[in-house]
Amino acid sequence: MSEIDAALADLVASRVLDVPDFPKPGIVFKDLMPLFADGDVFRQVIDGIVAYHGRESFDVVAGIEARGFVLAAAIAYATGVGVVPVRKAGKLPRATHAVSYDLEYGQATLEVHTDAFAGGQRVLVVDDVLATGGTAAATLDLVERAGGTVAGLSVLMELGFLPGRERLAGRPVHALLTVQP
């Protein structure tokens, strides 16, 4: 790990709050809102993600509901590209592709507009946390079904003790911070 990567990992780690028993007993929620609220740290994190991928490696950014929206909008603004929301079922007003999947604490369905991406458009997918990989795998599938090409997946934090990265084997996954138990 480079010095820059280590510094970004430390920044992310310094702004995470553990919330026990949320959204249900036994789950420790990793709250990254303090990171988003710190303008200097947030800027460094966005710049780090852009630097890792390179400004010319993607044409659009897709953000996964809901914290991924914050990241996607900032990265899109910083690079001058568009942003596409990947939403929970029933939130988008036009024709959508949908995929249902298992979460570490339940089930969910995500959707994206069928015309969200021009054919072959390179899409950087972003979210806050990679856990079991269900949400990320569903999103990557949706991007491809909607005509995009996955340029990469970036998350602020990867829970290394869960099988998220394994579930995404062969996919380009970038995490600023990986936490172990």
Side-chain angles (χ1 to χ4, degrees):
M1 178 181 284
S2 74
E3 277 186 44
I4 293 171
D5 293 339
L8 282 173
D10 288 345
L11 273 177
V12 173
S14 74
R15 299 304 191 279
V16 176
L17 294 177
D18 286 346
V19 181
D21 299 322
F22 184 84
K24 71 177 206 174
I27 301 292
V28 178
F29 184 81
K30 301 293 188 182
D31 185 4
L32 288 158
M33 287 302 151
L35 182 148
F36 295 137
D38 186 324
D40 182 55
V41 171
F42 186 59
R43 179 181 304 126
Q44 290 179 61
V45 164
I46 296 303
D47 290 347
I49 292 170
V50 170
Y52 176 84
H53 290 282
R55 288 180 176 270
E56 302 302 320
S57 71
F58 54 92
D59 304 310
V60 66
V61 185
I64 303 171
E65 189 164 336
R67 289 166 295 280
F69 294 170
V70 176
L71 297 166
I75 293 166
Y77 179 80
T79 58
V81 302
V83 63
V84 172
V86 177
R87 305 265 348 237
K88 294 177 183 172
K91 302 290 185 181
L92 293 172
R94 296 181 283 111
T96 62
H97 290 294
V99 66
S100 296
Y101 61 98
D102 292 326
L103 295 165
E104 59 272 27
Y105 48 81
Q107 290 189 319
T109 299
L110 290 176
E111 296 179 336
V112 70
H113 283 127
T114 56
D115 62 352
F117 309 107
Q121 197 171 30
R122 299 169 302 162
V123 182
L124 174 62
V125 177
V126 294
D127 204 5
D128 60 338
V129 176
L130 174 61
T132 64
T135 302
T139 299
L140 300 182
D141 179 51
L142 284 173
V143 166
E144 292 169 345
R145 287 174 54 195
T149 300
V150 175
L153 167 68
S154 269
V155 296
L156 298 181
M157 178 187 311
E158 175 183 359
L159 304 180
F161 52 91
L162 293 174
R165 191 173 288 262
E166 294 167 21
R167 187 168 187 174
L168 300 170
R171 298 291 203 157
V173 178
H174 168 245
L176 293 178
L177 170 67
T178 300
V179 293
Q180 300 295 338

